[in-house]
Amino acid sequence: MTRSTIEITPTRDDGRIARLATAAIVLSVAEAAIPLPLPGVKPGLANIVILIVLLRWGWRDAVWVALLRVFAGSLLLGQFLAPGFFMSLAGSVTSLAVLGLVVHLPPRWFGPVTLSLFAAFAHIGGQLLLARAWLVPHDGVFYLVPVFALAATVFGLVNGLVAGRMLRELPVA
Amino acid sequence: MNRLAVRDWLALLRPGDYMALLLAAAVCVVSALALWQGGAPDKVVVRAGGQVFAEAGLSSARVIEVPGPLGVTRIEIEPGRARVASDPGPRQYCVRQGWLSRSGATAICAPNQVSLSLAGGASDYDSLNY
């Protein structure tokens, strides 16, 4: 066998990001099996992983894990390049941008729950704007804002609490 | 295995988290009030043959009888809602639409050339255009 001329040596960072992205992908695939009353209202369990990555390893790693989750998750679910994929991407990108800002809030006062709430609201915000601009070019989509806002509040709180708890109990790897 | 006591979960919340939670709840309430109640209609517009036949407030009950090419369409108004009570058209689509209560909602009795629409408030959709 010819020896490959390209050598890719994964660094320790690569391995860690891959492991964390796997956890996020597993959660989003598992979540896809939960029947939900309204498209777009989802617990967003993968965001627990994103929050943990953000708080333990920083924003750069969180971006990697979140985007790998969006791409690989959509490939596994057969959603790649379908509308759902773009919605998911828009939500992820917006929420990463917001997380990049709110992560600088003083940690003495603001914990994972605040980050999670901001991320959840950014998620629905990004998705609604894309939906308004592209999928449903009509202000009627905003009629659902209160439903999405309630979902973001509830799931943002729950995910933030779980992330905070896991950060406390997971061994520092 | 740790017992998951409520106290342990609450210990994870820092002062700012309560503020963020309050802010999130406020967004829910404000958006619900702004988007779900601001669009309350306040008047009824009845058209016959393309011309405005009558405009009436939505605050008191009344009945409007509109003549058209097939006969008389009866429109019934109650506080906050209106409907086409009877129509001489063959398929009765506008009658079967029942009570209209959202701004922009429209019932069209095409055969008799009569339409009923609710207006006023922040009309959040227009069933004629979209």
Side-chain angles (χ1 to χ4, degrees):
Chain A
M1 209 175 90
T2 352
R3 263 192 76 218
S4 168
T5 50
I6 306 168
E7 290 283 334
I8 298 176
T9 326
T11 61
R12 279 193 59 197
D13 280 10
D14 295 338
R16 190 188 63 230
I17 287 173
R19 271 196 306 279
L20 292 162
T22 311
I25 292 162
V26 166
L27 284 176
S28 46
V29 171
E31 185 178 86
I34 305 172
L36 296 159
L38 196 71
V41 176
K42 283 192 197 177
L45 297 176
N47 295 326
I48 298 172
V49 180
I50 312 294
L51 279 172
I52 293 172
V53 176
L54 176 75
L55 287 170
R56 189 160 284 178
W57 290 285
W59 189 71
R60 205 187 126 267
D61 283 20
V63 172
W64 270 109
V65 172
L67 294 182
L68 280 170
R69 196 278 295 180
V70 170
F71 280 85
S74 70
L75 280 170
L76 282 174
L77 294 169
Q79 283 273 328
F80 186 56
L81 297 184
F85 161 77
F86 289 105
M87 293 295 278
S88 171
L89 186 62
S92 248
V93 169
T94 326
S95 105
L96 284 169
V98 169
L99 279 176
L101 295 175
V102 293
V103 78
H104 297 298
L105 286 170
R108 200 175 122 68
W109 298 95
F110 297 96
V113 171
T114 300
L115 299 189
S116 176
L117 284 169
F118 271 97
F121 273 89
H123 227 99
I124 58 160
Q127 295 192 333
L128 271 171
L129 289 181
L130 180 71
R132 171 64 184 82
W134 176 43
L135 293 174
V136 189
H138 189 267
D139 284 339
V141 284
F142 294 119
Y143 189 61
L144 292 173
V145 163
V147 180
F148 291 141
L150 185 66
T153 308
V154 173
F155 295 131
L157 172 66
V158 171
N159 290 350
L161 286 173
V162 173
R165 179 112 192 170
M166 288 184 77
L167 277 167
R168 182 173 291 182
E169 297 190 5
L170 277 180
V172 180
Chain B
M1 197 61 204
N2 294 339
R3 229 182 101 254
L4 299 181
V6 177
R7 182 163 33 87
D8 297 346
W9 289 106
L10 286 180
L12 293 168
L13 286 165
R14 297 169 206 176
D17 292 340
Y18 287 103
M19 275 163 54
L21 203 54
L22 271 178
L23 185 69
V27 170
C28 293
V29 173
V30 169
S31 65
L33 289 179
L35 291 160
W36 289 354
Q37 296 196 341
D42 53 21
K43 73 175 184 174
V44 170
V45 179
V46 179
R47 289 187 178 81
Q51 307 295 314
V52 174
F53 177 84
E55 287 190 16
L58 253 186
S59 48
S60 54
R62 69 179 275 201
V63 172
I64 301 176
E65 304 208 321
V66 193
L70 299 184
V72 172
T73 299
R74 266 184 70 239
I75 285 167
E76 199 175 332
I77 300 169
E78 276 191 8
R81 58 183 195 164
R83 68 167 175 175
V84 178
S86 70
D87 177 69
R91 280 174 287 274
Q92 302 284 304
Y93 289 139
C94 55
V95 179
R96 288 198 215 160
Q97 245 177 292
W99 291 103
L100 308 180
S101 56
R102 294 179 48 76
S103 189
T106 302
I108 300 169
C109 306
N112 207 27
Q113 298 178 12
V114 172
S115 76
L116 158 70
S117 55
L118 302 192
S123 112
D124 50 13
Y125 69 93
D126 179 343
S127 49
L128 276 176
N129 280 333
Y130 197 75

